Amino acid sequence: MKARFYPVVLSLALTLVAFAANRAAAAPPAHAFVDPDTPAVAQIRLLGERTIDQLGNALILEVRRVLAKSSPALAIGMLHLKDYKLPLPAPGQPVVTAVRRTSLRVRNPANSPDAADQAALDLIMEQLQNGDDVARVLVQRVTLPGQPPEWRVYRPLAALQQCLDCHGKEAALAPGVADTLKVFFPADKAVDYKPGEWRGLIRVSIKEPAKKS
């Protein structure tokens, strides 16, 4: 009986492995880019870009407000848009669920890219390296097992002149910034930028409205 049992178990195991492999091969990618000019995503893109505009303005105002009262070294721990409020959802419309910044060279490990973010960052980097026109906006559909689809709208960020006190050449950082970074962000990579240089992406995550039953 035992001699017959093992071949049956082995055969069953191989069948399950083959089934799992076929399902994995047939599974859609976890993230895929969508042409932002596609009419089907016009509403998603509009909400994403409008939110990015609002977020960008809020960030600039926060930088000005904080630097008016503190030195750049002290401001490093304050500029995180913690008080930024997500847009209120409209009935039956897509909903903004999160906003964040990410980069290939992050300062705060909490802003490290996930796989979908990494794909967006790599795409922009490839465009820059090839001398192509850099996309003004990227739209991405992200699918995770057991979760509803998430839409992401990305826009490239450039280093502005006022950013360089904390993100410029190390020798030209504002007084105290380098020492502060060593204490709070010892693995910091977000320095040595030049004015206008690509710095990363700002991303808005959006959920589709619930379908009417």
Side-chain angles (χ1 to χ4, degrees):
M1 292 293 292
K2 290 184 179 179
R4 295 178 183 176
F5 182 73
Y6 290 129
V8 172
V9 173
L10 179 59
S11 176
L12 178 60
L14 291 175
T15 300
L16 291 174
V17 169
F19 177 74
N22 288 336
R23 286 200 61 181
H31 48 80
F33 292 103
V34 180
D35 184 350
D37 294 323
T38 300
V41 299
Q43 196 176 34
I44 297 291
R45 174 180 176 175
L46 179 62
L47 177 58
E49 292 204 275
R50 184 187 300 138
T51 303
I52 289 172
D53 288 339
Q54 295 170 350
L55 184 62
N57 290 334
L59 180 60
I60 291 173
L61 290 174
E62 185 180 49
V63 169
R64 290 174 178 171
R65 175 180 58 81
V66 172
L67 290 181
K69 300 178 181 180
S70 305
S71 67
L74 293 176
I76 288 174
M78 304 178 189
L79 300 175
H80 298 298
L81 289 174
K82 294 177 181 178
D83 297 328
Y84 178 78
K85 292 180 173 55
L86 298 179
L88 294 174
Q93 300 298 311
V95 178
V96 175
T97 59
V99 296
R100 75 185 304 237
R101 290 172 290 165
T102 189
S103 176
L104 293 173
R105 294 153 55 187
V106 297
R107 169 158 293 170
N108 187 340
N111 294 330
S112 297
D114 62 14
D117 293 335
Q118 186 68 46
L121 290 163
D122 290 343
L123 178 57
I124 297 297
M125 177 58 77
E126 182 179 357
Q127 292 174 344
L128 287 168
Q129 291 176 338
N130 293 340
D132 299 331
D133 291 336
V134 175
R136 182 179 179 275
V137 62
L138 297 175
V139 176
Q140 190 185 56
R141 189 174 189 269
V142 181
T143 54
L144 297 173
Q147 298 183 25
E150 173 191 344
W151 290 94
R152 295 183 179 183
V153 178
Y154 297 89
R155 182 182 293 173
L157 285 172
L160 303 177
Q161 184 64 47
Q162 56 263 43
C163 301
L164 301 187
D165 279 348
C166 297
H167 293 281
K169 296 295 182 181
E170 190 168 356
L173 295 176
V177 168
D179 291 335
T180 301
L181 292 176
K182 289 176 183 177
V183 173
F184 292 102
F185 301 108
D188 174 48
K189 297 179 181 177
V191 291
D192 290 332
Y193 286 104
K194 296 177 291 188
E197 184 179 0
W198 177 55
R199 187 177 151 200
L201 292 169
I202 189 166
R203 182 249 278 179
V204 176
S205 296
I206 298 173
K207 181 177 67 175
E208 294 178 354
K211 296 182 180 179
K212 296 181 179 179
S213 55

